Amino acid sequence: MDVVAGLGRVRARIVDAGGDLDRVEIVAVTKGHGPEAVRAAAAVGLADVGENYAQELVAKAEAVDDPRLRWHFIGRLQRNKVRQVSHLVRCWQSVDRLAVGEEIARRSPGAAVLVEVGLTDDPVRAGARPGLVPGLVDALRDLGLDVQGLMAVGPQGPPAEIRAGFARVRALADQLGLRTRSIGMSDDLELAVAEGSTMVRVGSALFGPRPPR
């Protein structure tokens, strides 16, 4: 895993898409990789690390005791997962309903959260419907949580459809006065950066394909 080269390519892609490296944060997603990926990310200065699964996050945090790391939970949230990792997570990126926010506020008062916006009508996909997001943001703030922005996973489809989804997130963030737009992953970060992403979540672009389970 040549993370130095991978990071160089990711940064070049951000710049080529019109992004400012001082304004677009890179979250290193280590899903499916072992603790060595976390160490490699830290070694190249990537302190923000994203995990989808609570058990993996706990195991890697225990294996890599590095105070510089800022753990982001980016997977689908359930109350039991909040309990498992509340002592470790610095940013909850996938808050899409009030019940989860209530558990975060109980376990980690004042925590930084992003509201996940659903960009498809697929009930299997996570994310709050765009029309419900303003009310959810207000409710989470009433719980004392630090709502810093919005997060979304790009819809499947042609580039124009993906970019339109990201544009909806940007417009909604602007409407709500939220700075952080966590949109864009390894396969679609150019589209997200072109639509004003301030944070991209990249895994395979840094670490290569995930090893088979």
Side-chain angles (χ1 to χ4, degrees), residues 29-186:
V29 178
T30 59
K31 171 185 175 182
H33 294 276
E36 68 279 359
V38 181
R39 295 189 188 97
V44 296
L46 294 176
D48 293 282
V49 180
E51 268 300 333
N52 291 68
Y53 302 117
Q55 288 181 319
E56 282 196 30
L57 194 155
V58 171
K60 291 172 189 176
E62 290 177 350
V64 185
D65 184 14
D66 189 334
R68 296 174 298 174
L69 296 178
R70 295 184 292 268
W71 290 98
H72 295 238
F73 195 88
I74 61 176
R76 193 156 198 173
L77 273 168
Q78 298 170 344
R79 289 185 176 186
N80 64 319
K81 293 182 180 180
V82 173
R83 290 194 291 270
Q84 289 178 54
V85 298
S86 60
H87 61 298
L88 296 169
V89 173
R90 291 283 295 275
C91 180
W92 303 86
Q93 286 218 24
S94 48
V95 180
D96 62 359
R97 58 196 187 283
L98 184 58
V100 169
E102 290 171 342
E103 188 67 20
I104 294 172
R106 185 177 301 115
R107 301 281 174 177
S108 185
V113 302
L114 305 182
V115 170
E116 182 172 2
V117 183
L119 295 179
T120 75
D121 293 327
D122 185 349
V124 177
R125 298 286 293 271
R129 294 289 184 91
L132 300 177
V133 169
L136 180 55
V137 167
D138 287 341
L140 294 172
R141 284 174 169 161
D142 288 343
L143 292 171
L145 295 171
D146 179 14
V147 183
Q148 297 186 345
L150 305 179
M151 176 268 226
V153 176
Q156 295 180 340
E161 185 175 331
I162 297 170
R163 185 162 179 170
F166 290 151
R168 292 179 71 187
V169 176
R170 182 201 67 230
L172 192 52
D174 288 347
Q175 172 191 329
L176 298 172
L178 297 171
R179 187 194 70 82
T180 300
R181 300 92 175 262
S182 177
I183 51 176
M185 299 191 293
S186 292

